[in-house]
Amino acid sequence: MATLEQWINAVRNSSNASNLCEVAAWLKKNNDILLKNPTHLDQVLNHLKLPDHTLGVLSVLDARLSLPNVPDFEGVLSHTDEFLRDCDTIQVRHGHELYSEYFHRLTYEIVERKLFLRGVTTLLRAVQKLQGNAEELTSIHADLCQLCLSACHPAAALPVLEADISQMSPDMSLPDASEHFLRFYYYGGSIYCALKEFDKAHFFFEQAVVCPASVVSKIALESYKKLLIVSLLITGKTPQIPKYVSQGIVRHLRGLSQPYHDLASVFVGNDPTQMERVIRQHEDTFRREQNLGLVKQCIPAFFKKNIRRLTNTFVTLSLADVTNRANLNSIRDAESYVLEMIAARDIYATINEKDGMVSFHDNPVAYNSQTTLEEVDSEIRKCMFLDEKIQRMDQEISLNPQYLQKVAGSQEDKEATSLRS
């Protein structure tokens, strides 16, 4: 076992190392040297400088954070901010395992101390340092989203949520990568729910649900429950799970989410008393699983769905008829819902205040303006760009040694099976 002085010398001599992966592995292997000298860690930092000794400084910071009682946690955060400002990105990407483990541990300590808002900026910079580009998903994405939710500042996560993820950071090849993948999409969906962008929330929850798995994870189950509610809010029916998802997984998800399927069953009907009954019946479950707020949003969505149905049948109705047919409590409620839906362009209608008549109209947009043509052209360009990206990804996968090895192994297994038969 090397001494602390030997450790410092080895790190200082590694600044020009050609194989940074070996340096990162050596630091991880010899981490006990730092842990056995907790009182000397500040002195060790004084012998190292950024950006030359990025991996060494990161090891010292990680050791400080690993102590049973972290002294001067605000100082740890300040040192982390300095590290992110001056560290070498190349060394960070080669030492991605040490880097990501440090920020997972830092996130845990931030949550324990409820310093959520203080940690958001730090984690955002940590993500950007590890990324090769904005379309790359790192394991720290999930930690950032968790802090943004806990800090009641969901919009702070939008820079990473709005990116079109098409690549995985090197740290997403580690054994716990699937958990961080699921957590990112679960927290992302929760953030979009908080912002009431339910279409995007639906996409994020769906990614967590359809992620390949042999057993149902807790994160996938919670995502499925929220996906059910969000799907009711935006489509009025339960989500369609893609056929490529294991039917065994789907059965387990449905079996473990019965209160939510009970809600969906009454939502598609026309009786608000049944909705209220189911919500009261399962209120404790919804509250315990932190979904009661979302569930309660199904009540106005239920009445809006009933009003939307009327536009398919009638051209003109009195507010009194709208009240009766949509099962609303009063004419005032009917008028309020109709006006809200008109403002949101959910329906196209006008209300005659003199006689209280509601006239439903077709979409007035003729889609023949210059603006529409520009929007169509923009969407076509996006599709072309996406097609090119998919072709590049397909080519990269087809040349990937691991993929070729797996395909060759599968082919050999098939040939061996056919020979035996």
Side-chain angles (χ1 to χ4, degrees):
M1 178 70 72
T3 65
L4 188 59
E5 184 177 353
Q6 289 172 330
W7 187 95
I8 294 172
N9 290 332
V11 171
R12 295 183 68 175
N13 293 331
S14 70
S15 58
N16 296 320
S18 57
N19 194 336
L20 292 171
C21 292
E22 291 183 2
V23 175
W26 184 89
L27 288 169
K28 189 173 179 64
K29 181 180 178 181
N30 291 275
N31 188 50
D32 286 347
I33 299 174
L34 299 175
L35 295 177
K36 291 177 180 178
N37 294 275
T39 59
H40 296 92
L41 294 180
D42 287 338
Q43 297 175 28
V44 174
L45 278 178
N46 292 333
H47 286 85
L48 306 177
K49 65 176 183 177
L50 294 170
D52 295 342
H53 310 129
T54 290
L55 292 178
V57 172
L58 181 60
S59 295
V60 176
L61 293 177
D62 185 62
R64 289 179 63 180
L65 203 58
S66 302
L67 298 176
N69 296 308
V70 182
D72 186 21
F73 187 70
E74 186 59 41
V76 170
L77 289 175
S78 297
H79 275 111
T80 302
D81 290 335
E82 292 173 9
F83 170 81
L84 290 170
R85 184 190 65 211
D86 299 328
C87 68
D88 178 55
T89 305
I90 295 176
Q91 290 191 44
V92 162
R93 287 182 66 81
H94 279 85
H96 58 82
E97 183 174 0
L98 177 62
Y99 184 87
S100 58
E101 286 179 358
Y102 173 73
F103 282 101
H104 297 327
R105 190 175 291 117
L106 182 68
T107 301
Y108 174 82
E109 296 294 341
I110 289 171
V111 171
E112 285 293 296
R113 291 166 172 77
K114 301 187 185 302
L115 300 174
F116 312 118
L117 197 57
R118 172 67 176 83
V120 167
T121 304
T122 300
L123 267 292
L124 180 57
R125 292 177 65 190
V127 166
Q128 293 168 342
K129 278 288 183 179
L130 184 56
Q131 283 180 310
N133 58 69
E135 297 179 354
E136 196 171 82
L137 179 64
T138 76
S139 62
I140 309 173
H141 274 68
D143 297 327
L144 171 62
C145 292
Q146 179 186 359
L147 291 186
C148 290
L149 268 179
S150 301
C152 297
H153 191 26
L158 291 180
V160 297
L161 294 179
E162 296 289 342
D164 291 326
I165 301 296
S166 61
Q167 300 175 39
M168 295 291 172
S169 173
D171 65 316
M172 289 298 284
S173 62
L174 299 175
D176 58 353
S178 59
E179 178 186 346
H180 298 303
F181 180 91
L182 292 173
R183 287 176 61 237
F184 169 67
Y185 281 101
Y186 173 76
Y187 286 134
S190 300
I191 286 171
Y192 279 123
C193 282
L195 298 173
K196 296 190 181 298
E197 296 190 41
F198 295 118
D199 286 323
K200 294 179 180 179
H202 186 283
F203 171 80
F204 271 73
F205 289 135
E206 187 178 52
Q207 301 314 300
V209 171
V210 304
C211 181
S214 55
V215 295
V216 175
S217 70
K218 178 67 173 176
I219 304 173
L221 176 60
E222 295 307 311
S223 298
Y224 179 73
K225 293 172 181 177
K226 283 183 166 60
L227 177 64
L228 271 173
I229 304 171
V230 169
S231 183
L232 293 177
L233 292 175
I234 62 177
T235 69
K237 53 188 178 182
T238 56
Q240 294 294 317
I241 305 300
K243 293 183 179 179
Y244 58 77
V245 179
S246 165
Q247 290 306 302
I249 293 290
V250 174
R251 282 195 298 272
H252 277 85
L253 289 171
R254 288 173 177 166
L256 295 168
S257 308
Q258 193 55 50
Y260 299 87
H261 281 282
D262 291 346
L263 176 68
S265 297
V266 297
F267 188 92
V268 298
N270 199 40
D271 187 353
T273 60
Q274 291 297 316
M275 273 278 295
E276 293 168 358
R277 179 188 62 78
V278 168
I279 292 175
R280 283 197 306 271
Q281 179 184 349
H282 299 297
E283 184 172 355
D284 290 341
T285 300
F286 295 146
R287 180 181 288 107
R288 184 176 63 253
E289 296 174 352
Q290 299 183 353
N291 288 325
L292 185 59
L294 266 181
V295 167
K296 286 186 174 180
Q297 293 186 58
C298 289
I299 297 174
F302 173 83
F303 291 118
K304 289 179 181 179
K305 176 209 65 175
N306 289 346
I307 293 173
R308 200 177 298 112
R309 282 177 178 172
L310 299 177
T311 67
N312 299 326
T313 308
F314 299 96
V315 175
T316 303
L317 273 178
S318 68
L319 282 172
D321 284 336
V322 172
T323 303
N324 293 331
R325 293 177 182 274
N327 286 307
L328 289 160
N329 294 325
S330 66
I331 291 178
R332 179 174 295 180
D333 285 346
E335 183 177 14
S336 176
Y337 274 115
V338 170
L339 289 174
E340 185 178 336
M341 294 175 74
I342 291 172
R345 295 189 177 182
D346 196 7
I347 62 172
Y348 298 95
T350 54
I351 299 177
N352 189 322
E353 295 184 0
K354 291 183 179 179
D355 54 16
M357 298 298 292
V358 181
S359 299
F360 299 116
H361 311 298
D362 293 329
N363 187 342
V365 180
Y367 299 106
N368 58 0
S369 65
Q370 182 63 31
T371 302
T372 301
L373 292 175
E374 290 174 357
E375 290 176 356
V376 171
D377 182 67
S378 175
E379 292 301 317
I380 291 174
R381 291 180 184 275
K382 289 179 183 178
C383 291
M384 293 172 63
F385 176 75
L386 181 61
D387 179 65
E388 293 173 0
K389 181 184 289 187
I390 292 174
Q391 289 186 33
R392 286 198 304 271
M393 292 173 65
D394 181 67
Q395 186 174 9
E396 290 172 3
I397 292 172
S398 64
L399 297 176
N400 186 289
Q402 292 179 324
Y403 172 77
L404 293 173
Q405 184 178 4
K406 188 171 184 178
V407 170
S410 300
Q411 187 63 32
E412 289 175 1
D413 291 341
K414 288 181 181 179
E415 291 174 357
T417 303
S418 62
L419 287 173
R420 285 195 297 268
S421 60

